[in-house]
Amino acid sequence: MTTTTHRTEESDPFCLPPERAADLLARAPWRRFATVGDSLAAGTGDPSPGYAGLGWPDRVAGVLRRVHPGLAYLKAAEAGATAARTLSTQLDRLAGFAPDLVHVSCGVNDLFRPVPDYAAITTTLARVFERAAASGAQLTTFTLGRAFVVPRFADWGERVRRVNDITRGLAADHGAVLVDMWDHPVNDRPDLLSADRIHFAAAGQAVLATEIVKGLARLLTTGTAGEGTVA
């Protein structure tokens, strides 16, 4: 006999209650939070039973608002954005917003072609990170999870690994808080992805927001922006 576990946001071991998340960021200085990049950076995803229907950026903004009620929040990230489109359409808007905390993630849409141009992806993503960092803001980013598979590309896993490696290098170059989702245990959950099999559903969005909060908390505690989490 198979027992089905009905997980909720409150019982999910990879999620933090909002109060606990706010406690971790109690000393956070950030008052102007922005995201740039693609739909993954925008927090696109389907609902999940037992979880609030919020994308990860809205969740992080909600935690920061518990610390600074007047938080300004800009979601410049947009569905379908390539690295080049992010650079050409979002960075001027970001500069005008004058953020002090910026999430940057894009590059996956550059993989949906017969042969990805990794040199161009690297160069363009480097410019995106450079311009975001030029604002003086603390940067955050994340790698793609292994649960995201595109069957029509037999080498999809290798494509993702290469973009993840580019992201890791740029995060190190710019002192960004890096959340490495490639081998996070949440990848093994059968209900992780939305119906499109690309975006995290709300349950995954909740986990991702928690990991971002933990990464920021570790930065506040230790001054280290690399991979890892805070219990």
Side-chain angles (χ1 to χ4, degrees), residues 99-145:
D100 54 14
L101 179 65
V102 178
H103 180 85
V104 181
S105 52
C106 57
V108 66
N109 288 313
D110 298 83
L111 301 181
F112 289 93
R113 50 187 302 181
V115 181
D117 187 341
Y118 294 104
I121 293 171
T122 301
T123 299
T124 309
L125 278 181
R127 288 289 297 127
V128 171
F129 272 79
E130 286 166 5
R131 288 194 57 188
S135 68
Q138 171 64 50
L139 304 187
T140 71
T141 190
F142 51 67
T143 59
L144 300 167

Side-chain angles (χ1 to χ4, degrees), residues 156-174:
W156 183 256
E158 177 60 23
R159 294 179 184 217
V160 170
R161 280 190 289 270
R162 290 186 70 168
V163 166
N164 282 348
D165 285 345
I166 294 167
T167 299
R168 291 187 187 100
L170 291 171
D173 290 345
H174 295 284

Side-chain angles (χ1 to χ4, degrees), residues 22-74:
D23 286 345
L24 287 176
L25 298 187
R27 296 187 297 109
W30 306 295
R31 298 171 184 266
R32 301 186 68 80
F33 171 47
T35 67
V36 295
D38 53 30
S39 57
L40 304 182
T44 300
D46 291 348
S48 296
Y51 291 78
L54 296 171
W56 76 263
D58 294 344
R59 289 171 173 275
V60 171
V63 172
L64 290 171
R65 281 206 176 99
R66 287 175 174 262
V67 180
H68 297 297
L71 177 83
Y73 172 37
L74 171 68

